[in-house]
């Protein structure tokens, strides 16, 4: 009795081929398979651009270092799938339909240096969204037409961030605290936003003026409102806003002091007058007493 079937020549050849492939494979990328609509190469690049994907590609090699999912219709980055790719260095998600990202989205990507979120439909960036990305060097987040809200601590924890591009979003203001937390920043893009230059932007304008060397296209970083400021460069407004927004006294203060001054003056005049009359009366009384005696 034969317990095992005799291996056929063909299946033996297959086994040998498999062992051979596994032996020479330079990386796990080749052996671990690849998502059907992506191309994974031995440089640990997974290329999935323009594949009409509506969901994040699953089954990517765990060792993937560079993932390109641009030009698709992906509306969500699932934290679980993404965080399996703990060796990712480069992630291009541009031109998709991403509506939100959060701190948990990037929970485990400690090597990620380049992140592109441009051409999506993000509306806000919350506190410490990118904090787990301790190696993040360049963040591109341009052309999100509804992106109007960046939390003051959105980039807290990104001490390595050198290039931040937020051009052509819908920002009317940006709390300068979000930039102050970036010690390594050397290039910032803010042009093409409907920036409002009033006293609430005073700190931002001042910062831009002092740090203008960091601006990518400082000449095009201009105010959109109020009307009087339209088209003026942020970098030239810092000192002016500082002066305008901290004019010691305004109109109502002057009016107040005038009225109070007038009351004090009148009170003094009346008091002096009453005193005068009183003294005259006293004098008169004394005199008539003296005459009586
Ligand atoms: C975005 O992706 C679509 C679909 O692939 C493409 O037709 C379009 O040109 C891309 N837009 C940009 C700005 O790259
Ligand atoms: C941009 O923000 C303004 C409010 O600041 C809003 O009215 C407008 O709809 C926003 N634009 C887009 C494209 O979401
Ligand atoms: C900016 O954010 C800080 C910290 O949250 C806050 O204290 C400050 O008032 C904000 N500045 C403006 C102009 O909103």
């Amino acid at each position: 009795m034969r317990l095992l079937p005799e291996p056929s020549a063909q299946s033996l050849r297959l086994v040998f081929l498999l062992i051979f492939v596994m032996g020479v494979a330079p990386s796990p990328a080749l052996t671990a398979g690849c998502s059907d609509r992506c191309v994974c190469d031995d440089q640990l690049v997974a290329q999935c651009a323009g594949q009409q994907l509506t969901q994040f590609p699953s089954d990517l090699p765990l060792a993937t270092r560079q993932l390109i999912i641009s030009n698709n219709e992906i509306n969500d980055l699932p934290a679980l799938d993404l965080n399996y790719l703990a060796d990712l260095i480069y992630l291009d998600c541009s031109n998709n339909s991403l509506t939100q990202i959060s701190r948990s989205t990037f929970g485990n990507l400690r090597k990620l240096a380049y992140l592109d979120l441009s051409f999506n439909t993000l509306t806000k960036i919350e506190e410490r969204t990118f904090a787990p990305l301790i190696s993040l060097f360049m963040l591109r987040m341009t052309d999100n037409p509804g992106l109007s809200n960046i939390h003051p601590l959105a980039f807290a924890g990104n001490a390595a961030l050198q290039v931040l591009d937020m051009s052509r979003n819908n920002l009317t203001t940006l709390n300068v605290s979000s930039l102050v937390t970036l010690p390594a920043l050397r290039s910032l893009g803010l042009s093409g936003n409907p920036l409002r230059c009033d006293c609430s932007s005073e700190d931002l304008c001042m910062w831009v003026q002092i740090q203008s060397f960091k601006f990518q296209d400082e000449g095009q970083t201009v105010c959109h409102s109020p009307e009087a400021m339209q088209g003026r460069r942020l970098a030239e407004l810092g000192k002016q806003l500082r002066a305008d927004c901290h004019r010691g006294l305004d109109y109502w203060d002057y009016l107040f002091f005038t009225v109070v001054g007038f009351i004090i003056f009148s009170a003094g005049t009346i008091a002096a007058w009453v005193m005068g009359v009183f003294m005259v009366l006293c004098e008169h009384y004394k005199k008539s007493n003296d005459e009586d005696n």
Side-chain angles (χ1 to χ4, degrees):
M1 199 174 78
R2 278 178 11 203
L3 286 173
L4 290 168
E6 197 76 53
S8 71
Q10 196 180 350
S11 55
L12 259 182
R13 272 203 296 275
L14 249 173
V15 168
F16 276 124
L17 189 68
L18 205 71
I19 290 169
F20 176 70
V21 167
M22 283 171 79
V24 298
S27 73
L30 275 182
T31 55
C34 187
S35 195
D36 21 325
R37 282 202 254 165
C38 304
V39 176
C40 305
D41 67 16
D42 57 0
Q43 303 302 305
L44 303 172
V45 178
Q47 170 60 270
C48 320
Q51 295 298 309
Q52 288 153 352
L53 295 171
T54 53
Q55 280 182 355
F56 189 80
S58 50
D59 309 324
L60 290 168
L62 293 188
T64 302
R65 291 212 190 118
Q66 192 170 338
L67 173 59
I68 300 150
I69 53 172
S70 54
N71 303 351
N72 286 296
E73 290 143 41
I74 299 167
N75 56 26
D76 183 39
L77 290 178
L80 205 60
D81 291 334
L82 192 56
N83 286 308
Y84 269 126
L85 307 176
D87 285 333
L88 265 193
I89 293 172
Y90 183 104
L91 176 59
D92 182 355
C93 308
S94 62
N95 196 16
N96 276 286
S97 313
L98 299 175
T99 52
Q100 60 175 347
I101 47 169
S102 70
R103 203 178 166 182
S104 60
T105 309
F106 306 111
N108 196 29
L109 304 182
R110 308 179 126 256
K111 297 182 186 166
L112 196 72
Y114 177 91
L115 175 61
D116 196 339
L117 295 166
S118 301
F119 294 96
N120 276 286
T121 48
L122 299 171
T123 55
K124 63 177 175 187
I125 302 296
E126 278 161 6
E127 186 173 349
R128 302 182 72 82
T129 293
F130 308 101
L133 308 179
I134 52 173
S135 307
L136 193 63
F137 174 88
M138 184 184 289
L139 174 59
R140 304 200 71 239
M141 197 160 57
T142 72
D143 302 277
N144 282 259
L147 180 55
S148 56
N149 195 340
I150 307 274
H151 191 279
L153 297 177
F155 310 114
N158 297 113
L161 193 63
Q162 294 200 14
V163 182
L164 173 60
D165 196 351
M166 297 191 286
S167 306
R168 298 174 302 278
N169 292 314
N170 196 18
L171 299 172
T172 50
T173 183
L174 178 69
N175 191 318
V176 75
S177 303
S178 62
L179 305 176
V180 171
T181 59
L182 297 172
L185 189 67
R186 59 179 177 79
S187 171
L188 175 70
L190 260 189
S191 62
N193 281 289
L195 294 166
R196 183 170 177 81
C197 300
D198 56 14
C199 291
S200 68
S201 315
E202 176 201 332
D203 289 345
L204 177 65
C205 293
M206 204 64 200
W207 196 88
V208 174
Q209 182 157 12
I210 294 167
Q211 315 262 340
S212 63
F213 61 93
K214 290 183 178 170
F215 277 76
Q216 280 170 16
D217 24 52
E218 182 246 297
Q220 275 103 275
T221 308
V222 295
C223 310
H224 186 259
S225 67
E227 213 163 322
M229 298 287 192
Q230 232 168 44
R232 295 194 53 189
R233 285 159 49 236
L234 260 69
E236 72 183 28
L237 282 177
K239 291 200 179 106
Q240 182 184 333
L241 282 177
R242 178 130 300 178
D244 288 356
C245 298
H246 298 276
R247 240 201 316 249
L249 306 171
D250 71 6
Y251 174 78
W252 288 107
D253 292 323
Y254 283 120
L255 192 68
F256 176 78
F257 285 119
T258 307
V259 169
V260 169
F262 182 74
I263 291 171
I264 291 172
F265 172 76
S266 319
T269 309
I270 292 169
W273 186 79
V274 168
M275 191 72 94
V277 170
F278 181 71
M279 281 171 73
V280 166
L281 285 178
C282 280
E283 201 71 12
H284 182 75
Y285 179 72
K286 243 168 59 193
K287 242 186 218 157
S288 54
N289 262 6
D290 287 351
E291 276 163 18
D292 288 351
N293 290 345

